[in-house]
Amino acid sequence: MELTAAVTQGTAMWPTLQVGSALQAALEAWVAAGHATDFKEATLRDLAIAAAVASSDRAAVEEFDRFYIRTRTAVIAKHGLPNDVIADVLQTVRFKMLAKITDLPAAVQVVTGGDLLGLATVVAHRTAIDFVRKIGRSVAINDAVEFDSLMASIGTPESALGKHQLKEV
């Protein structure tokens, strides 16, 4: 796909934001790094918002929070945490995700790893597990069937991760 068309398509995905110039720079960095130019829709979506966040666009940060962070509330709630702790977990997830997108090269690198929603899901799961450990809450599991049911309801971070490497966040 031609870069101009990719910028147009990526910009259209975030109609309330001014992501064009940030996306153009991100796409140029993407191509310079040797990545393919047959952009998937999710890649353009993620590159556009990550580049705008990296350029300190306040509206983009708010949209990033709405689309990538707050939508992970259900993931965190599956860990049985109370609402006030869920809010703390979301704040920690927000900090961890935004810390990964400090500048344009970092934004491109994060998107190179795979889907940002998948990464946000993994970060949310891991952070929730850390909070569960910290507050000492345990889930009583009576048998293997109940355990399997619990694990199926939570899902696996690995399946949500996409191409991202599993590592401490």
Side-chain angles (χ1 to χ4, degrees):
M1 173 184 298
E2 181 185 332
L3 287 186
T4 305
V7 170
T8 301
Q9 185 178 346
T11 300
M13 292 177 188
W14 300 103
T16 61
L17 301 176
Q18 301 296 318
V19 299
S21 60
L23 179 57
Q24 176 75 36
L27 290 171
E28 289 169 1
W30 180 273
V31 171
H35 301 295
T37 58
D38 56 338
F39 300 105
K40 296 177 184 173
E41 186 174 311
T43 302
L44 283 175
R45 177 198 68 215
D46 292 350
L47 267 176
I49 193 75
V53 167
S55 67
S56 301
D57 180 327
R58 182 166 177 78
V61 171
E62 289 171 8
E63 191 65 14
F64 181 87
D65 182 62
R66 184 195 65 76
F67 188 81
Y68 293 94
I69 307 301
R70 285 186 261 159
T71 57
R72 303 302 90 198
T73 302
V75 168
I76 296 165
K78 289 181 181 181
H79 292 277
L81 295 167
N83 288 339
D84 59 330
V85 177
I86 290 173
D88 291 341
V89 172
L90 280 172
Q91 182 62 23
T92 303
V93 171
R94 182 176 297 109
F95 173 78
K96 288 179 177 183
M97 289 295 294
L98 290 174
K100 293 179 173 295
I101 307 173
T102 55
D103 57 22
L104 188 60
V108 171
Q109 183 62 39
V110 167
V111 175
T112 299
D115 180 47
L116 281 182
L117 279 173
L119 178 60
T121 300
V122 170
V123 171
H125 272 299
R126 288 179 171 217
T127 304
I129 289 167
D130 288 345
F131 272 73
V132 167
R133 288 179 183 146
K134 286 178 187 173
I135 64 174
R137 174 172 284 203
S138 62
V139 178
I141 299 175
N142 296 326
D143 59 30
V145 173
E146 188 176 344
F147 177 77
D148 290 343
S149 173
L150 175 67
M151 293 312 292
S153 73
I154 292 173
T156 60
E158 292 84 357
S159 66
L161 186 58
K163 293 188 241 173
H164 286 285
Q165 296 293 320
L166 283 175
K167 59 184 176 185
E168 277 306 308
V169 182

